[in-house]
Amino acid sequence: LDLLEKILKLGYNVEELFTKKTHSLISGKSCDESLPYIERGLQLLPNSSVIIDDKLDCAQRYLNDGENVKAVAIADSILDKRENAKLIKAHALCNIADTEQNLDKRIEQLEQAQSTLSSYSGPEKEVIATRINDAFVLAAKLYYGEGETDKSYTVLAGLAKKGVEKAADAIANLRL
């Protein structure tokens, strides 16, 4: 790889060979082991679709393994290059929000997830959007249970304005 990098830096057309070598070096390795090679490859070939796809794969594997902070960081670095990175980031942010005990921070994570998902156009969007909305409703109910009625109604009113039926139902139930 070092030799190919030197040849590439001299201006010779060995991009395909460098990409194949990088891809073969990471094959079968963990993401923690693969990322240095991926980053090195992207420094030299920032638009290499194979290397970008390898990085997206790492983000997905981190998400699958429950390493949500890593998944967010990796997906965030390629948001402008791969549409599915938005879905991975939003999903990981939801996972982080689910475990957050501080409700204000939970709401922030959910807002980030919602913002990221807003520019995603894939078919899985509705599944994650529903999950985000359900998490907002749950957080609002928890706010209410802690006596934070203003925060609870603010969250629910925002969702109701967007047409989230569960939010309107929750408002009605909490007022009874």
Side-chain angles (χ1 to χ4, degrees), residues 83 86-87 90 110-122 125-126 128-129 132 162:
E83 180 79 3
K86 295 173 187 174
L87 183 69
L110 292 171
E111 287 171 344
Q112 285 181 17
Q114 193 173 52
S115 174
T116 300
L117 193 63
S118 69
S119 62
Y120 180 73
S121 59
K125 181 176 184 170
E126 280 306 309
I128 300 297
I132 292 169
K162 294 178 183 175

Side-chain angles (χ1 to χ4, degrees), residues 110-160:
L110 292 171
E111 287 171 344
Q112 285 181 17
Q114 193 173 52
S115 174
T116 300
L117 193 63
S118 69
S119 62
Y120 180 73
S121 59
E124 307 89 349
K125 181 176 184 170
E126 280 306 309
V127 173
I128 300 297
T130 299
R131 182 169 172 215
I132 292 169
N133 291 335
D134 289 349
F136 272 125
V137 171
L138 176 61
K141 288 178 180 179
L142 292 171
Y143 271 138
Y144 189 85
E146 292 180 358
E148 301 264 4
T149 55
D150 287 345
K151 289 182 178 180
S152 176
Y153 287 125
T154 298
V155 170
L156 292 173
L159 290 174

Side-chain angles (χ1 to χ4, degrees), residues 16-175:
E16 186 176 335
L17 191 56
F18 180 84
T19 301
K20 285 181 182 179
K21 183 65 175 175
T22 301
H23 186 70
S24 72
L25 283 171
I26 66 171
S27 183
K29 292 187 178 181
S30 73
C31 287
D32 288 341
E33 294 170 320
S34 299
L35 279 172
Y37 293 108
I38 291 170
E39 293 301 337
R40 182 178 177 184
L42 288 174
Q43 284 177 351
L44 292 169
L45 303 170
N47 296 317
S48 168
S49 61
V50 172
I51 299 173
I52 293 168
D53 287 344
D54 287 336
K55 193 166 188 178
L56 182 67
D57 180 59
C58 278
Q60 183 65 56
R61 286 195 282 161
Y62 280 136
L63 177 66
N64 294 345
D65 293 343
E67 295 188 61
N68 296 300
V69 173
K70 288 181 178 180
V72 168
I74 297 300
D76 211 22
S77 71
I78 55 171
L79 281 179
D80 60 333
K81 298 180 190 257
R82 288 295 179 269
E83 180 79 3
N84 280 353
K86 295 173 187 174
L87 183 69
I88 292 169
K89 181 180 178 182
H91 191 162
L93 286 167
C94 283
N95 291 346
I96 293 168
D98 286 347
T99 62
E100 179 59 59
Q101 297 299 311
N102 180 304
L103 291 176
D104 292 337
K105 289 182 181 177
R106 183 182 297 193
I107 294 295
E108 286 177 28
Q109 296 290 343
L110 292 171
E111 287 171 344
Q112 285 181 17
Q114 193 173 52
S115 174
T116 300
L117 193 63
S118 69
S119 62
Y120 180 73
S121 59
E124 307 89 349
K125 181 176 184 170
E126 280 306 309
V127 173
I128 300 297
T130 299
R131 182 169 172 215
I132 292 169
N133 291 335
D134 289 349
F136 272 125
V137 171
L138 176 61
K141 288 178 180 179
L142 292 171
Y143 271 138
Y144 189 85
E146 292 180 358
E148 301 264 4
T149 55
D150 287 345
K151 289 182 178 180
S152 176
Y153 287 125
T154 298
V155 170
L156 292 173
L159 290 174
K161 285 180 184 176
K162 294 178 183 175
V164 177
E165 193 173 310
K166 289 181 183 180
D169 292 344
I171 290 172
N173 290 335
L174 294 177
R175 287 195 174 160

